[in-house]
């Protein structure tokens, strides 16, 4: 049973003035009761012994001082009975009996009061001892419960810190992979841009906006788009790592406070009444340096854990997004890379076929040029061959114009010679026309040959750029593990 409030002081335990002897006025009244004409004179009572006066030592110290002084005076002015001539009666037997009875009653009352005081005091001491012990046990129990709460929250903090450290390491690893993947995209981007730059060196008709150029431009756009998304997620990862480390710092600071509080409370919990180092600290119970209540104390740690869990969930989600991003960007770049390679292959095949066709046509053109040159030579020779017959026919006509008189006859030979001359001249004109046509055809063939040769050089240049330059560089395109940041 626990005592509440403060213990009331018993009425018999209050300070009480002791009166072992009746007052002077009382004694005087007793004298008046016997009708003894005795006049009170202090000097006449100097025969009383000091032992009788010392019986009233229970009165206050001031009275005791006065009695001491009175005893000193009496000792100096004492009259012994043998020196007195007349022995007068001072008290009656009834006064003596009453005085004794009063002393008995006073003694019994004092003893009863002292006994009651002693018993009440012992009971009070026992009750207060039990109350103090129970209070101390209850306080120790409360400190033990507090220690259990601290240990619980400390274990929760340790568990959350371990999870957060693991999450920070995982996010840092994903961030490093993202960094490496982002760095790996610089090579393909440079290759694509150099391919476009090299293909700008194509000549003449081959400088076309073909499928290869479209795929290269799209490849550059895809790589830049992937880089932009990677940079955004990289910035998010850096910010999330900062948030994770901030949450970890709050947890570690809270854990450090919990460790210190646990050490202090554990020392307090093991303190006993016989322990060393206990002392008085006056007024410490009136101080209240508290900054929190049990509810706000547990809520503070719970909020830190919830904040850490929220940051971990956000970090885990971001890691999943980065994983998906790495796979997506790798697939996009590889898909576009393959499309560009297919376009390159097709274009190289077309250029190679065209080049082979040009070689065939050039060979045929050269053959035709050779034959046309042979024809021209034949025409020229034929024209040279017609010169002498024409000369012969014209000479004959000219010679026959010198026939005399009537002999200048327009006879059949004359007609044949005229017809021969005209026939030869017509043949010469036709041969000359054919010669001109042959020379024009030869010129056209030569021009075609030059065109074919130029086109062949163009095709050879384009084939060199696409097949040797571009496709040679594109062999360095990173593999899928490198694009997702594993190597």
């Amino acid at each position: 049973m626990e005592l509440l409030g403060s213990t009331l002081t018993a009425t018999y335990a209050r300070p009480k003035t002791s009166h072992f002897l009746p007052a002077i006025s009382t004694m005087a009244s007793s004298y008046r009761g016997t009708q003894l004409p005795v006049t009170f004179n202090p000097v006449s009572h100097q025969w009383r012994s000091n032992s009788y006066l010392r019986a009233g030592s229970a009165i206050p110290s001031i009275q005791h001082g006065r009695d001491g002084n009175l005893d000193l005076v009496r000792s100096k002015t004492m009259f012994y009975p043998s020196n007195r001539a007349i022995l007068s009666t001072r008290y009656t037997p009834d006064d003596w009996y009453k005085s004794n009875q009063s002393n008995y009653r006073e003694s019994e009352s004092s003893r009863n009061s002292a006994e009651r005081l002693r018993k009440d005091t012992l009971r009070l001491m026992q009750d207060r001892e039990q109350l103090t012990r129970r209070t101390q046990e209850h306080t120790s129990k409360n400190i033990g419960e507090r220690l259990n709460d601290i240990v619980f929250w400390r274990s929760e903090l340790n568990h959350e810190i371990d999870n957060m450290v693991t999450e920070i390491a995982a996010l840092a690893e994903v961030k490093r992979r993202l960094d490496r993947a982002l760095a790996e995209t610089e090579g393909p981007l440079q290759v694509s841009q150099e391919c476009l730059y090299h293909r700008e060196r194509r000549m003449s008709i081959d400088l076309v906006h073909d499928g290869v150029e479209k795929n290269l431009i799209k490849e550059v756009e895809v790589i830049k788009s992937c880089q932009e998304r990677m940079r955004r997620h990289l910035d998010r990862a850096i910010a999330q790592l900062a948030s994770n480390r901030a949450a970890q710092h709050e947890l570690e600071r809270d854990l450090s406070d919990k460790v210190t509080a646990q050490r202090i409370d554990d020392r307090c919990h093991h303190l006993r009444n016989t322990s060393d180092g206990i002392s008085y600290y006056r007024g410490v119970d009136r101080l209240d340096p508290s900054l929190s209540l049990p509810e706000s104390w547990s809520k503070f740690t719970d909020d830190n854990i919830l904040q850490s869990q929220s940051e971990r969930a956000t970090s885990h989600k971001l890691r999943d997004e980065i994983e998906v991003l790495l796979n997506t960007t790798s697939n996009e770049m590889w898909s576009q890379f393959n499309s560009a390679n297919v376009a390159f292959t097709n274009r190289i095949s077309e250029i190679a076929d065209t080049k082979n066709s040009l070689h065939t046509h050039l060979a045929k053109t050269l053959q035709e040029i050779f034959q046309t040159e042979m024809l021209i030579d034949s025409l020229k020779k034929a024209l040279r061959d017609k010169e002498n017959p024409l000369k012969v026919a014209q000479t004959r006509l000219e010679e026959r114009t010198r026939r005399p008189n009537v002999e200048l006859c327009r006879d059949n030979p004359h007609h044949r010679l005229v017809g021969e001359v005209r026939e030869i001249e017509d043949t010469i004109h036709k041969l000359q026309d054919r010669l001109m046509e042959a020379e024009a055809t030869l010129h056209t063939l030569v021009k075609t040959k030059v065109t074919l040769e130029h086109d062949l050089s163009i095709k050879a240049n384009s084939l060199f750029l696409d097949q040797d330059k571009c496709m040679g560089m594109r062999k360095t395109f990173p593999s899928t593990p490198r694009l997702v940041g594993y190597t």
Side-chain angles (χ1 to χ4, degrees):
M1 180 176 179
E2 189 173 326
L3 299 178
L4 301 176
S6 60
T7 306
L8 296 177
T9 305
T11 56
Y12 49 77
R14 295 177 182 174
K16 184 177 180 181
T17 305
S18 300
H19 300 286
F20 294 98
L21 293 176
I24 299 300
S25 60
T26 306
M27 296 176 63
S29 63
S30 65
Y31 285 127
R32 285 192 296 271
T34 56
Q35 297 179 357
L36 291 177
V38 179
T39 305
F40 178 77
N41 187 3
V43 179
S44 63
H45 298 287
Q46 294 178 359
W47 58 270
R48 297 174 183 174
S49 64
N50 291 333
S51 61
Y52 181 78
L53 294 174
R54 281 195 299 271
S57 61
I59 62 178
S61 60
I62 299 176
Q63 187 66 29
H64 177 72
R66 293 177 181 176
D67 291 344
N69 295 332
L70 183 60
D71 290 341
L72 182 62
V73 174
R74 287 175 179 174
S75 63
K76 293 180 181 181
T77 58
M78 180 64 69
F79 291 97
Y80 297 96
S82 60
N83 296 330
R84 292 184 304 197
I86 299 175
L87 183 62
S88 61
T89 301
R90 294 163 180 80
Y91 299 101
T92 63
D94 187 45
D95 291 335
W96 179 81
Y97 177 77
K98 289 181 179 179
S99 176
N100 290 335
Q101 293 297 323
S102 175
N103 289 337
Y104 297 155
R105 288 191 300 271
E106 186 68 25
S107 175
E108 185 177 0
S109 175
S110 298
R111 283 187 286 107
N112 291 334
S113 298
E115 184 179 2
R116 286 193 300 271
L117 177 62
R118 186 177 66 256
K119 291 180 179 180
D120 289 344
T121 302
L122 289 176
R123 186 171 61 254
L124 176 64
M125 291 171 60
Q126 292 175 356
D127 293 341
R128 288 296 167 176
E129 177 65 22
Q130 293 177 1
L131 177 62
T132 301
R133 187 172 59 254
R134 285 195 302 269
T135 303
Q136 191 178 70
E137 291 175 354
H138 185 65
T139 303
S140 299
K141 181 180 178 182
N142 288 338
I143 295 177
E145 293 174 352
R146 179 67 173 180
L147 280 172
N148 292 333
D149 293 340
I150 293 176
V151 169
F152 168 76
W153 285 114
R154 182 179 173 182
S155 64
E156 292 293 322
L157 286 171
N158 280 323
H159 179 68
E160 184 60 30
I161 287 174
D162 292 339
N163 292 336
M164 179 56 75
V165 169
T166 304
E167 180 61 32
I168 288 175
L171 183 60
E173 177 61 26
V174 172
K175 174 183 169 293
R176 284 191 292 271
R177 286 177 51 201
L178 186 59
D179 279 330
R180 290 194 292 265
L182 181 59
E184 288 292 338
T185 59
E186 292 297 330
L189 178 62
Q190 185 176 1
V191 167
S192 300
Q193 291 175 340
E194 287 186 2
C195 287
L196 288 172
Y197 171 75
H198 286 307
R199 296 190 93 245
E200 289 295 323
R201 294 164 57 187
R202 291 174 297 169
M203 296 182 297
S204 185
I205 192 62
D206 275 16
L207 194 62
V208 295
H209 186 61
D210 53 3
V212 176
E213 188 170 357
K214 293 177 182 178
N215 278 278
L216 286 175
I217 293 173
K218 186 177 180 182
E219 187 175 74
V220 171
E221 293 175 353
V222 168
I223 294 175
K224 287 185 177 180
S225 175
C226 293
Q227 286 180 342
E228 182 63 26
R229 283 180 288 170
M230 286 181 180
R231 290 191 184 96
R232 286 200 302 267
H233 281 76
L234 184 61
D235 294 338
R236 289 179 58 191
I238 293 173
Q240 188 60 47
L241 277 174
S243 299
N244 289 352
R245 291 192 178 100
Q248 179 188 358
H249 175 70
E250 291 297 327
L251 293 174
E252 290 176 347
R253 186 174 64 177
D254 196 2
L255 179 62
S256 176
D257 295 342
K258 292 285 186 299
V259 171
T260 304
Q262 182 181 0
R263 185 175 64 251
I264 294 173
D265 284 350
D266 185 68
R267 186 168 63 248
C268 293
H269 186 257
H270 287 88
L271 282 178
R272 297 294 181 267
N273 296 331
T274 58
S275 300
D276 296 333
I278 59 176
S279 179
Y280 288 109
Y281 295 92
R282 303 294 182 182
V284 70
D285 55 323
R286 292 190 294 271
L287 297 177
D288 188 11
S290 302
L291 298 178
S292 63
L293 297 174
E295 293 79 9
S296 60
W297 173 80
S298 59
K299 186 177 183 299
F300 177 78
T301 303
D302 188 51
D303 290 343
N304 285 337
I305 293 175
L306 290 177
Q307 179 65 25
S308 176
Q309 291 175 349
S310 175
E311 294 296 341
R312 281 198 300 112
T314 304
S315 177
H316 188 273
K317 182 180 178 182
L318 179 59
R319 284 195 295 113
D320 292 340
E321 291 179 0
I322 292 176
E323 290 287 350
V324 173
L325 174 67
L326 289 175
N327 293 325
T328 303
T329 53
S330 174
N331 293 333
E332 289 179 0
M333 287 187 288
W334 259 105
S335 176
Q336 185 57 38
F337 172 75
N338 292 329
S339 298
N341 286 346
V342 169
F344 263 112
T345 303
N346 295 333
R347 186 61 177 171
I348 290 172
S349 177
E350 290 177 0
I351 295 175
D353 293 340
T354 304
K355 183 180 177 183
N356 293 332
S357 298
L358 288 174
H359 273 296
T360 302
H361 285 281
L362 179 61
K364 292 179 179 180
T365 302
L366 290 175
Q367 181 66 29
E368 191 64 32
I369 288 174
F370 175 74
Q371 292 178 357
T372 303
E373 288 177 347
M374 294 294 293
L375 176 62
I376 291 174
D377 291 339
S378 299
L379 288 172
K380 287 181 178 180
K381 182 177 181 302
L383 285 173
R384 287 194 302 270
D385 292 340
K386 295 299 183 289
E387 289 178 358
N388 291 328
L390 181 59
K391 289 178 181 180
V392 170
Q394 288 178 351
T395 301
R396 287 175 175 177
L397 284 174
E398 196 276 330
E399 286 293 334
R400 293 192 75 198
T401 59
R402 288 195 293 270
R403 289 177 300 170
N405 300 319
V406 75
E407 291 299 324
L408 190 63
C409 181
R410 186 177 296 176
D411 52 6
N412 287 331
H414 177 79
H415 290 293
R416 289 298 299 168
L417 286 173
V418 172
E420 183 181 4
V421 169
R422 291 178 180 176
E423 182 180 348
I424 293 173
E425 288 179 351
D426 182 63
T427 299
I428 291 173
H429 286 301
K430 288 182 179 179
L431 289 175
Q432 288 177 348
D433 291 340
R434 289 299 176 91
L435 179 62
M436 293 177 61
E437 289 179 5
E439 289 177 349
T441 301
L442 179 62
H443 180 73
T444 303
L445 288 173
V446 171
K447 186 177 180 181
T448 302
K449 179 181 77 71
V450 172
T451 303
L452 290 175
E453 288 175 349
H454 180 67
D455 204 8
L456 274 174
S457 64
I458 291 174
K459 296 298 183 289
N461 178 68
S462 300
L463 192 62
F464 171 75
L465 292 175
D466 288 348
Q467 188 173 15
D468 296 338
K469 284 284 187 180
C470 296
M471 292 303 293
M473 289 188 300
R474 294 180 69 80
K475 292 179 181 179
T476 62
F477 195 85
S479 61
T480 300
R482 293 174 59 186
L483 287 178
V484 295
Y486 281 114
T487 57

